[in-house]
Every structure is written in structure tokens, then in C-alpha cells.
Amino acid sequence: MGTERMARLFALLLLAAWCLSQVGVMCGAGSVRVAGSLTLGGLFPVHARGAAGRACGALKKEQGVHRLEAMLYALDRINADPELLPGVRLGARLLDTCSRDTYALEQALGFVQALIRGRGDGDEASVSCPGGVPPLRAAPPESVVAVVGASASSVSIMVANVLRLFAIPQISYASTAPELSDSTRYNFFSRVVPPDSYQAQAMVDIVRTLGWNYVSTLASEGNYGESGVEAFVQISREAGGVCIAQSIKIPREPKPGEFHKVIRRLMETPSARGIVIFANEDDIRRVLEATHQANLTGHFLWVGSDSWGSKISPILSLEEVAVGAITILPKRASINGFDQYFTTRSLENNRRNIWFAEFWEENFNCKLTGSGSQSDDSTRKCTGEERIGQDSTYEQEGKVQFVIDAVYAIAHALHSMHRALCPGHTGLCSAMEPTDGHTLLQYIRAVRFNGSAGTPVMFNENGDAPGRYDIFQYQETNGSASSGGYQAVGQWAEALRLDMEALQWSGDSHEVPPSQCSLPCGPGERKKMVKGVPCCWHCEACDGYRFQVDEFECDACPEHMRPTLNHTGCRPTPVVRLTWSSPWAALPLLMAVLGIMATITVVATFMHHNDTPIVRASGRELSYVLLTGIFLIYAITFLMVAEPSAAVCAARRLFLGLGTTLSYSALLTKTNRIYRIFEQGKCSVTPPPFISPTSQLVITFGLTSLQVVGVIVWLGAQLPHSVIDYEEQRTVDPEQARGVLKCDMSDLSLIGCLGYSLLLMVTCTVYAIKARGVPETFNEAKPIGFTMYTTCIIWLAFIPIFFGTAQSAEKIYIQTTTLTVSLSLSASVSLGMLYMPKTYVILFHPERNVQKRKRSLKTTSTMAPPPKSQNLEDPK
């Protein structure tokens, strides 16, 4: 209460100083007065804000005169209604705010003047006005019980701060600033229009429905513009999905070039085409003019507040710039009774409106005789017979309905108060003289009636009216903007209903233009947000094996899967293996089949001619072991092509190295036996040990057993199974990726399986080199040597080919083919060099397959003939 008392004291001092300066006289000011037992105040922007130090500017026909006349019309109807305030006549004192808050405050101080001094004239002898203008004697101050107005929020706020100190209720017909909903600061303020917090919510809903997420805001300096934008920004932040690119404030007194600067700032973020504008009518027009001059017609997409509404004046001659503008206006209706009233006003029957003559000149573009207004000689003289709506255009101003509702709200409150305080009285009683503002405020907040448009009029605890809006869009007609008009496209009453099909944009397009910082990312792309700007992002492709989890994240597909074509999900990776019908298997299988057939032919020939000299000289037992190994080498090709399974993988481990081990063990035993016999024969006639067939078999199987034991240990330590290797063919292009079905054998384990065989092969080669000096007539040392040399070349070529293709996408095919072909070639070399010549002799030259004594009678100094007991042929 201390703060309120200080404020009241300050206001009293201010009023005292003002009253002393006025002394009942007003310099060039005027007001519309209507006599009555209860007086209502009225504040209207009859004139625009003045320039160059002048308080008032040009006349505002619609916003000023229409609204002022609406209050006079409402008073006439109320006073003529015998059911409403019977015996009580409502009077009025209506003032011009000149669209300026400071000037309006000076005018509104007259409403509280009667509360400070008594009625009567003051001393005007000491009063003088600037420029020698004679002072106008002011009428005695009336006691104003309530005030209708003001229009602009900044004016209402300024006036409300004074009226609340003197408990004078105030109802605005156009002020929508959210700040005025603060009942702790503006407890005597009410309004019949919804606050901008509702309007801002409706505008946020419009922006989101249009799919815009990046917009700029424009606000006129002052409570209306700044509070509206602040509410829009706050609601959009809470709702999410809408970002503010630029938030620009238009100064109260804009400097030359200010609006061009505004347009340049808006173009700093050209993708933010949507412009949410909370500005007064003058600023809206100047923004549109600057847009046109900047040659940016059609670029900006305007979303205008109720100050734009469905007015023609802000866009007159700028229709092309305004095409597509979506505007909002509190739900209203045209009042037919007011149209009839206003169109019948004339200079004769409307003398109570001191500004009506000025309106007449402005409306009919004429000059009244003796009006004192300046005009050129071409301006015609007014006849006074002109008629509104016939000799001039006329359209009811949008806030007329709310002015009427505001006056009726006060009248209904006074009526309820009169019935409660003056029961049975006609006219005022002592309980209402003077009228208590606190009591009247309670009755105002409790009113509920159908307004002039048939919609309910009521107030909440903050004095706000419910939010109901009509949504308009300025559209072209037949491709012409100048002949276009505002079309209703939706409504808002706690929720938005927008007819998207009714929207029409520049060029008769029905597709909503974008106002987005970043375009939506395509399928398989994630949003990489720009720091600090939640509505801006870069689209980053979910490349490689990544897929789009959501709009912000990519993740790698599981190992066994690859992304879909558009990278929005994962799908199983196809599994491949070397099949029987594969071209890669054709050559290995052909070689294996031919090799097996040749091996069987040799074995059958040898078995059929088992006791012939050639077979016996070959070492029958080791030959059969060697041919068995060759057969196994050919047979492993079928295991390598077969579909991997536990049994197939076990067989691969066992037989992959067994055939080569058996073959090279037999060859090593042979070359070792030949080498030892001839080395021993150089220095002794005693035969070397372990050269009998049985010993040779034991040595061969002993060497082979090492391979078998190793494989058995391996099988026991790690059970064989098939696996699908998704890494082997995980190509850069996921579309080429394949899972490879194979046995659980790595490249190294596969070489390890053959490693022992290669060791035997190298050892055998060494012995073949050592035995190269054996006479050609003795056994098969040289064929074995050629066999081993060729085999070494084959395996030396195999190793780089096998490991060089480890990173190839065709690895499974190349490596398997290389391995099987190398095995078949090595087996074919052994078979071809060691047994094909013998088989040829046996089958086609049987006359040479007879036993001959080949004891050489000659001795040489380099080698003695072997003793009889060292005959290389098998015993009979």
C-alpha cells in the first residue's frame, strides 16, 4: 500500500500543477460532450501522430471517426432503451489521443480533474497560449464513472496507470498487449478484445500449420508491438519447432531510411521468408513500401496481427506486395444498425461531433466555407448535401463492434449496480452519487450478455475477453492484385481451423511457399544441427553401412545386415558360397574328375600287372600309397566345393593335408632310399638299413601319422563347424556386400594344414637334388626330381595368388579355385611324370615289360655297381 499511496501522491501533485496551469481553459484542444446523469469517458485516435513537433497529424477516418461515432451510437441506443438503466441518462466526454501516449495522458487527466477540485470556473486571466491563439474556455469537469478506450496498447497502459489510482474502471475496445492482463498492475483495466497472448498463440499455430519453422518478427516500438512479439517468441519457444531468425523493432520516431534498413536486415536471413508483424497501421504501410522499393515483391510472406486485420489503408496501392498476407482479426460482425446510423449523419444532424466537419472534408475531398483548412484552388466546395456511402466509399471499421460492446458492458454493469444499490428507484440514488469505482469494477467483471454481433461478452478474472479470431488472406482476383481482397480462410478459438485449400499465394499457386532455415532431409539423411539455431541443420547422408535411426542419428547395421537402398533400415545380407554350378568351380571339378579317372586307370593297370617287372621296379607298396595320396588330392576338390557343414568341415581338415602328406611322404621315402643306397654303395658293400618294402611303408605311414595326429588334436580342441563370414565380402558399396558361408578355417590355418606337406615336399626336393647323379638305368630318381621341381614352382605361384586376393570381393572363389587347381596340378605332375610313362609301356608296349639282367660288367671310377643284395627291384 505504501507504493500505491506514493503513486497517488505523485499523481495528485501532477494534477494539481496541471490544473493550476489550465484554470479551466484548454489551448486549442476539444472534446465531444454528451450530457447525462452519469458520464463515460472515451479515448479515440481521431488523428494520427503529428510530425515535426506537432501533437496531432492527419485525420483517421475509420479508426478515429468511425469508432467515436460507434460510442455515440451506442449511447443513443442505451438512452433510448427503457429496460436498460431506466431513469438514468448516460453522458460522455470523448477525447482525441492523436495516436500518441503522452498526448493521450494529458487529455485523460481531465477525467480525474473533477475528483480534485469542485465544479466552477477558474481564473483564466493569466492563461496564454503559444502563438497568440486565444484560449478556449473549458467546460466544468464532470465526474467520469468509467472510460471506454483507448485504442493503442501503449496509450491504454499510460492512461490505466492514472485511472487505477482514482478507481476509475476502463474498458478498451482495441488494446491487446499481454502486459495489460497483469491484474496486479492494471486491476481496473478490462477489454472486450482478446489479449495478444491468444493472438500470438493463433499466429504460432498458423506458422506451424503452414510448415514454417524459420520466421522473423517485426514490432512497432511500444507495448502493443513489443509485447505481441514477446508473446509470440515465448509461445513458439515453448511449443517448439519455430525459430526466430530476426527480431526487429521499428522505432517510435523512425528516421529517414529506417524502413529500408529494416528490409536489409530481413534479407540477412533470406530463407526466413515468413514475417510475423505486430505493428501499427502506419508502420505496416511503410514496411510494404520499402519492400516494393527494394524490388522484393513476392519474397516475404506476411503474417499480420489484428492491427493489420482486413484493412485496406495499409496496403492501398501496395496490393502486389501484400498478396498472400495472412492476417488475424478478433471475431467480429458488421453492425447493420451502425451502418444505417452513420450513413445518415450529416453536417446538420451531427453537430455534437466537433471533428465531423473535418471528416466531411476528408471524406468527400471538398472544402467547407470558412473552415480555415488550407487547400488549393482546385478543391471543390462542400455543398453539405453529400451523402456517406453514396458520394463516397464506405466500409464499417473493424473495431466498431467492440466499441459498442464496451459501452454496453459498462451500461449493463451500471444497470446491475443500480438494481442492487437503488432498488425501486427511478434515476440515481445517493448510493450511486458518487459512483464507487471498486463496486462498479466488480459488476463489470460479472457481466455476461450477447453483444452487438450476437456473441457473448464476458471477462475473466484479469479482465480479458475470450479469444476468438477470424483468419484472412489477401488474394488476387483474376490474376490482379489491385482488384483482390481479403478472404476468410479460417478461425481460431482455442484451436486453429485453417482451410489449406482456400489459401492462395502469388501467381494463383496453392502450394505453400517455404520459410525454412533448412529444407527437410531426404530418406537416409540425418539432421546435423547448427549450434545455437535449433531450426537450422545440415543434411548428412547415412553412407556406407549406416542407416537412419531417426531424424538426428545414423547407426551401423548389424554385422549380418546391410542398409536398404535408401538407408532407412537394414536388411539381411545375402549369403553366397562356391556352388557346383559356379563358373569358378568348373575348372577345378573338371581337373579333379579327369585326375581321378587317370588315377583309377593307373591303379587298375598296376594291379592287373602287379607282378610285371615295371610294376615291381616301381616299388609296388609305395606306388599304391602314392597313388592313394594322389587320389585323395583330387578328391579334396569335391569337399572344397561342397556346401560347408560340420561333417564337410571336419573332412576338409582331415583330407586337405592327408593326400599331399601321403604323397610326399611316399616320394620322400623313395628318394631317401635311393640316395642312401647309392651313398652307401660308394664306401661299403653293406646295404643301408630300412630299405625293405615293409620298412618303407612303416616310414611312410610314420611320417603321415604326424599329420593325422595333428588334425585329430585340432578337431578335439576346436570342433569343426560352418560359419557365415560377413567381413570377407564387406565391400565399400553395401549393395555388393555378401556373407560367405564357409568352414571355420582361416587362411593361416588352411596354410598350416598344408604346411607339413610343404615341408615334406621341400625335403623331398632336397633329396631329389642330391640323387640327381644316380644313373638313368636305376629306378626313378630323375622323374621324382623333375616332379618335385615342378611341384615347387606350382606352390610358389600359389602362395602370392592366394594371399594377394585376400582383400578381393571374389576372394572365396579365387582362393578356393587357386587352391584346388594347385592341388590338382601337383597331383597331375606326380601322376604324369611318375606313372603315365609306365602305364603307357605296360599297355602299349608289353614287349618291353620283361625282366632283363642289367648288370654292367664295366665299372667306373665314380660309382661302383651295387652289390647283388642291393638290387633296387622288388624281390620276387
Side-chain angles (χ1 to χ4, degrees):
M1 290 298 294
T3 303
E4 185 173 344
R5 286 177 180 174
M6 289 297 293
R8 183 185 292 271
L9 178 60
F10 173 76
L12 288 172
L13 292 173
L14 178 64
L15 284 168
W18 180 80
C19 290
L20 289 174
S21 67
Q22 296 295 312
V23 196
V25 177
M26 300 180 67
C27 298
S31 63
V32 174
R33 292 177 182 269
V34 177
S37 50
L38 291 175
T39 301
L40 304 184
L43 295 171
F44 298 94
V46 179
H47 291 87
R49 182 186 308 167
R54 295 193 305 157
C56 301
L59 182 78
K60 301 179 82 169
K61 295 192 300 180
E62 290 82 12
Q63 283 188 313
V65 176
H66 281 210
R67 295 178 184 181
L68 184 145
E69 287 291 342
M71 184 167 179
L72 295 175
Y73 165 76
L75 289 173
D76 290 346
R77 292 194 59 188
I78 292 169
N79 290 329
D81 188 347
E83 301 296 328
L84 188 60
L85 285 172
V88 178
R89 181 174 178 82
L90 290 183
R93 185 181 179 189
L94 311 182
L95 302 176
D96 180 10
T97 65
C98 289
S99 305
R100 188 188 298 271
D101 51 4
T102 54
Y103 182 82
L105 178 61
E106 294 175 5
Q107 297 291 296
L109 288 175
F111 293 149
V112 298
Q113 187 178 0
L115 300 176
I116 301 172
R117 67 175 184 173
R119 305 177 70 89
D121 296 335
D123 180 13
E124 60 181 62
S126 60
V127 176
S128 61
C129 293
V133 178
L136 300 174
R137 180 179 178 83
E142 305 93 343
S143 178
V144 174
V145 297
V147 173
V148 174
S151 177
S153 295
S154 58
V155 175
S156 289
I157 288 172
M158 188 75 79
V159 173
N161 282 318
V162 173
L163 296 182
R164 67 183 292 267
L165 299 178
F166 297 92
I168 299 177
Q170 174 187 2
I171 300 181
S172 174
Y173 50 83
S175 298
T176 56
E179 182 181 349
L180 289 165
S181 297
D182 187 353
S183 59
T184 62
R185 296 176 57 193
Y186 307 103
N187 50 325
F188 278 82
F189 179 84
S190 305
R191 48 188 162 190
V192 290
V193 289
D196 284 337
S197 54
Y198 294 148
Q199 183 175 195
Q201 178 66 66
M203 296 174 82
V204 169
D205 292 345
I206 291 171
V207 167
R208 297 185 67 187
T209 301
L210 293 175
W212 298 346
N213 66 4
Y214 198 52
V215 297
S216 294
T217 62
L218 272 179
S220 290
E221 184 178 5
N223 294 93
Y224 171 75
E226 294 179 56
S227 299
V229 164
E230 182 180 351
F232 178 87
V233 172
Q234 179 66 26
I235 294 171
S236 63
R237 183 181 296 117
E238 292 173 356
V242 178
C243 296
I244 308 303
Q246 301 270 1
S247 193
I248 302 173
K249 182 169 64 176
I250 302 171
R252 195 184 305 270
E253 302 288 347
K255 299 177 182 178
E258 186 70 37
F259 290 91
H260 293 287
K261 181 180 177 182
V262 167
I263 299 303
R264 285 195 299 270
R265 283 194 58 190
L266 290 175
M267 286 305 295
E268 291 176 3
T269 51
S271 58
R273 297 177 61 190
I275 309 297
V276 176
I277 181 167
F278 278 86
N280 59 54
E281 185 177 331
D282 296 335
D283 288 345
I284 292 171
R285 180 169 183 82
R286 295 172 74 177
V287 166
L288 297 180
E289 287 176 346
T291 303
H292 177 70
Q293 292 168 8
N295 198 26
L296 290 172
T297 299
H299 176 78
F300 294 117
L301 309 168
W302 311 102
V303 179
S305 62
D306 61 342
S307 61
W308 185 334
S310 58
K311 299 173 187 170
I312 296 297
S313 54
I315 66 170
L316 190 62
S317 302
L318 295 168
E319 292 86 355
E320 289 186 2
V321 187
V323 168
I326 294 178
T327 58
I328 189 170
L329 196 62
K331 198 168 187 63
R332 65 176 190 180
S334 183
I335 309 303
N336 294 329
F338 176 79
D339 290 340
Q340 183 178 2
Y341 162 83
F342 190 76
T343 54
T344 58
R345 295 301 89 192
S346 67
L347 294 172
E348 294 299 325
N349 63 17
N350 199 23
R351 293 182 180 274
R352 61 183 175 179
N353 185 349
I354 64 173
W355 296 291
F356 196 71
E358 186 180 356
F359 166 81
W360 197 267
E361 291 182 326
E362 181 76 19
N363 191 54
F364 295 108
N365 192 25
C366 62
K367 180 179 179 298
L368 291 170
T369 304
S371 66
S373 59
Q374 305 230 345
S375 61
D376 54 45
D377 296 336
S378 62
T379 304
R380 70 180 181 86
K381 296 290 190 286
C382 300
T383 65
E385 300 299 323
E386 295 89 356
R387 289 292 174 262
I388 299 173
Q390 297 179 13
D391 301 316
S392 66
T393 58
Y394 165 75
E395 183 179 356
Q396 187 179 124
E397 200 274 332
K399 293 295 193 300
V400 164
Q401 168 197 338
F402 301 107
V403 174
I404 297 171
D405 288 345
V407 177
Y408 265 89
I410 297 174
H412 279 285
L414 287 170
H415 181 78
S416 299
M417 184 177 178
H418 181 266
R419 286 194 303 175
L421 300 182
C422 306
H425 283 75
T426 299
L428 295 178
C429 64
S430 58
M432 290 186 67
E433 289 184 321
T435 303
D436 180 65
H438 291 90
T439 305
L440 178 58
L441 177 65
Q442 294 176 9
Y443 283 100
I444 287 175
R445 295 291 172 86
V447 298
R448 183 184 179 93
F449 64 97
N450 286 331
S452 55
T455 55
V457 176
M458 66 189 80
F459 305 99
N460 63 14
E461 64 276 7
N462 297 322
D464 293 330
R468 294 186 293 266
Y469 296 95
D470 286 322
I471 314 296
F472 297 92
Q473 186 185 41
Y474 190 83
Q475 298 179 354
E476 298 175 334
T477 299
N478 298 324
S480 172
S482 58
S483 61
Y486 293 97
Q487 302 296 326
V489 293
Q491 299 178 7
W492 190 93
E494 298 184 356
L496 176 66
R497 288 181 295 171
L498 188 64
D499 186 356
M500 298 297 290
E501 295 182 357
L503 295 177
Q504 179 181 307
W505 308 91
S506 180
D508 290 336
S509 172
H510 290 275
E511 183 178 353
V512 179
S515 182
Q516 299 172 322
C517 180
S518 304
L519 294 177
C521 294
E525 294 180 335
R526 77 175 186 94
K527 293 179 180 178
K528 186 177 181 181
M529 306 306 298
V530 175
K531 188 175 182 181
V533 188
C535 295
C536 297
W537 58 81
H538 301 297
C539 293
E540 183 181 83
C542 298
D543 53 3
Y545 287 82
R546 298 189 303 164
F547 72 100
Q548 183 183 2
V549 179
D550 52 40
E551 60 178 336
F552 300 107
E553 185 179 355
C554 295
D555 202 358
C557 287
E559 182 184 6
H560 64 286
M561 305 185 82
R562 60 177 179 170
T564 56
L565 288 174
N566 59 7
H567 287 256
T568 56
C570 296
R571 52 181 172 159
T573 301
V575 178
V576 297
R577 65 178 183 86
L578 186 61
T579 60
W580 300 105
S581 59
S582 171
W584 291 94
L587 179 61
L589 290 174
L590 177 62
M591 293 180 66
V593 169
L594 294 177
I596 289 174
M597 292 174 60
T599 303
I600 293 174
T601 300
V602 172
V603 171
T605 302
F606 269 49
M607 291 182 66
H608 183 71
H609 302 85
N610 190 54
D611 291 326
T612 60
I614 291 179
V615 175
R616 291 174 57 201
S618 304
R620 287 175 295 184
E621 293 78 4
L622 284 182
S623 291
Y624 291 134
V625 171
L626 180 56
L627 289 170
T628 302
I630 292 173
F631 178 85
L632 292 177
I633 292 173
Y634 285 126
I636 195 63
T637 296
F638 297 96
L639 289 176
M640 298 301 293
V641 177
E643 181 176 354
S645 63
V648 170
C649 293
R652 284 187 187 181
R653 289 191 193 180
L654 179 62
F655 293 106
L656 181 60
L658 182 60
T660 53
T661 299
L662 200 59
S663 297
Y664 297 137
S665 294
L667 286 175
L668 176 60
T669 302
K670 273 194 172 189
T671 54
N672 176 265
R673 173 173 175 266
I674 295 171
Y675 175 75
R676 288 189 297 116
I677 289 175
F678 282 95
E679 283 297 312
Q680 182 72 15
K682 292 179 181 179
C683 54
S684 173
V685 294
T686 304
F690 310 117
I691 61 173
S692 65
T694 302
S695 300
Q696 297 296 296
L697 290 176
V698 171
I699 294 172
T700 300
F701 289 127
L703 293 173
T704 305
S705 64
L706 295 178
Q707 173 78 17
V708 175
V709 171
V711 172
I712 292 174
V713 171
W714 184 13
L715 291 172
Q718 183 181 2
L719 294 177
H721 62 277
S722 61
V723 296
I724 300 176
D725 188 349
Y726 291 97
E727 292 296 327
E728 185 170 307
Q729 289 196 31
R730 196 175 180 86
T731 56
V732 175
D733 181 8
E735 288 304 302
Q736 305 300 322
R738 299 291 185 269
V740 178
L741 178 62
K742 63 180 184 178
C743 291
D744 59 330
M745 294 175 64
S746 65
D747 294 345
L748 290 178
S749 63
L750 185 144
I751 296 300
C753 190
L754 294 172
Y756 181 62
S757 302
L758 296 176
L759 176 62
L760 293 176
M761 179 190 70
V762 172
T763 306
C764 184
T765 304
V766 171
Y767 274 103
I769 293 173
K770 289 184 176 183
R772 67 184 182 280
V774 175
E776 295 181 6
T777 53
F778 294 98
N779 264 289
E780 42 196 3
K782 283 183 172 51
I784 291 176
F786 288 128
T787 299
M788 300 318 300
Y789 305 151
T790 307
T791 302
C792 286
I793 294 173
I794 292 172
W795 287 103
L796 286 174
F798 160 78
I799 292 175
I801 295 175
F802 186 87
F803 288 101
T805 58
Q807 303 302 320
S808 172
E810 307 291 337
K811 171 184 174 181
I812 180 65
Y813 307 114
I814 297 175
Q815 288 190 342
T816 302
T817 301
T818 303
L819 176 62
T820 52
V821 168
S822 298
L823 288 170
S824 295
L825 284 176
S826 61
S828 299
V829 168
S830 299
L831 184 65
M833 290 193 173
L834 296 178
Y835 294 104
M836 293 309 292
K838 294 180 175 62
T839 304
Y840 175 78
V841 171
I842 293 173
L843 294 177
F844 300 104
H845 296 282
E847 70 280 1
R848 295 171 57 183
N849 189 15
V850 294
Q851 186 173 1
K852 298 180 179 179
R853 289 282 182 179
K854 290 189 177 182
R855 290 192 177 272
S856 179
L857 300 178
K858 298 181 180 179
T859 60
T860 64
S861 59
T862 58
M863 178 177 294
K868 183 178 180 180
S869 60
Q870 291 177 320
N871 193 333
L872 298 182
E873 295 182 0
D874 288 341
K876 292 182 181 180

